[in-house]
């Protein structure tokens, strides 16, 4: 049976234009790109979204470290938080080890992917928008059940956000809940 689709929250079409706030503009920019096949990697996708809100948090010279630089900038301003706090639409969600950035075969690559929170469901499930396999996608993760791909009802609980490879070490993680690192809150400057 085909996998149940991740359904977007009901929206007023005007919401896709953003509401003028930093988080609103970042979220609207991400929503406009859902379904687009893109040459953006994770860092360029994040830089594009932040640019839509006229933010320059990606000043890192090494593009491979740009996502970590954004996280570090938010963390320095005390604007990062863990899974124990419910994110709001437009917050960033950071993941680690979504690929082997330094190609050493180990799971030691922090902050390799970022997405934008679209909604947090009452059961704790978070719907977010990010780039995976060359496409901007709506994905999901459940902090309370990080290693479960689907619930007993077949509904997706955690999207795969790391490609599988024959060279992967045993115990490599692939699901969003397993690779979750932190949230970050953008605020109007």
């Amino acid at each position: 049976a085909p996998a149940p689709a991740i359904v977007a929250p009901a929206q007023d079409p005007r919401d896709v234009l953003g509401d003028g706030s930093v988080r609103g503009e970042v979220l609207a920019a991400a929503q406009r790109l859902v379904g687009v096949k893109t040459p953006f990697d994770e860092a360029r996708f994040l830089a594009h979204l932040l640019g839509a809100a006229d933010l320059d948090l990606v000043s890192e010279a090494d593009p491979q470290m740009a996502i970590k630089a954004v996280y570090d900038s938010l963390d320095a301003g005390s604007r990062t938080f863990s899974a124990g706090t419910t994110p709001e639409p437009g917050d960033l969600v950071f993941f680690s080890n979504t690929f082997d950035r330094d190609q050493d075969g180990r799971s030691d690559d922090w902050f390799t992917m970022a997405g934008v929170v679209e909604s947090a469901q009452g059961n704790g499930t978070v719907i977010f928008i990010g780039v995976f396999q060359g496409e901007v996608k709506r994905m999901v993760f459940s902090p309370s059940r990080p290693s479960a791909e689907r619930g007993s009802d077949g509904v997706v609980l955690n999207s795969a956000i790391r490609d599988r490879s024959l060279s992967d070490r045993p115990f490599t993680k692939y699901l969003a809940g397993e690779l979750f690192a932190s949230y970050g809150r953008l605020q109007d400057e």
Side-chain angles (χ1 to χ4, degrees):
I6 298 168
V7 179
Q11 296 178 354
D12 181 316
R14 293 171 292 175
D15 290 345
V16 180
L17 297 176
D19 62 7
S21 71
V22 170
R23 286 186 299 174
E25 293 305 317
V26 168
L27 178 56
Q31 289 171 325
R32 286 191 299 268
L33 294 173
V34 170
V36 173
K37 300 230 185 273
T38 179
F40 286 167
D41 61 13
E42 295 85 350
R44 286 188 286 174
F45 174 70
L46 181 58
H48 172 77
L49 297 180
L50 295 176
D54 200 26
L55 288 177
D56 184 20
L57 298 177
V58 187
S59 58
E60 181 70 35
D62 179 0
Q64 291 288 329
M65 298 302 291
I67 292 171
K68 182 165 180 0
V70 171
Y71 171 82
D72 288 344
S73 175
L74 293 174
D75 193 48
S78 300
R79 292 185 283 161
T80 59
F81 54 101
S82 67
T85 304
T86 303
E88 295 179 11
D91 283 341
L92 299 181
V93 58
F94 294 93
F95 301 93
S96 293
N97 298 305
T98 58
F99 65 96
D100 188 7
R101 180 173 42 221
D102 57 13
Q103 300 179 16
D104 66 355
R106 298 170 49 188
S107 292
D108 59 357
D109 302 294
W110 296 99
F111 307 106
T112 55
M113 179 181 177
V116 179
V117 172
E118 185 169 45
S119 67
Q121 308 299 307
N123 64 1
T125 300
V126 175
I127 298 174
F128 68 99
I129 299 169
V131 173
F132 182 61
Q133 296 178 331
E135 183 177 343
V136 179
K137 298 180 179 185
R138 188 170 275 116
M139 296 174 272
V140 61
F141 83 100
S142 299
S144 64
R145 298 190 56 201
S147 298
E149 187 170 4
R150 296 180 185 284
S152 59
D153 55 2
V155 172
V156 175
L157 297 175
N158 287 286
S159 299
I161 59 170
R162 179 182 173 123
D163 287 319
R164 293 183 185 272
S165 168
L166 293 175
S167 62
D168 288 343
R169 287 183 159 194
F171 309 110
T172 298
K173 308 293 185 190
Y174 302 94
L175 300 177
E178 298 171 317
L179 301 173
F180 169 77
S182 183
Y183 294 112
R185 178 145 301 152
L186 299 169
Q187 61 187 25
D188 291 311
E189 302 297 327

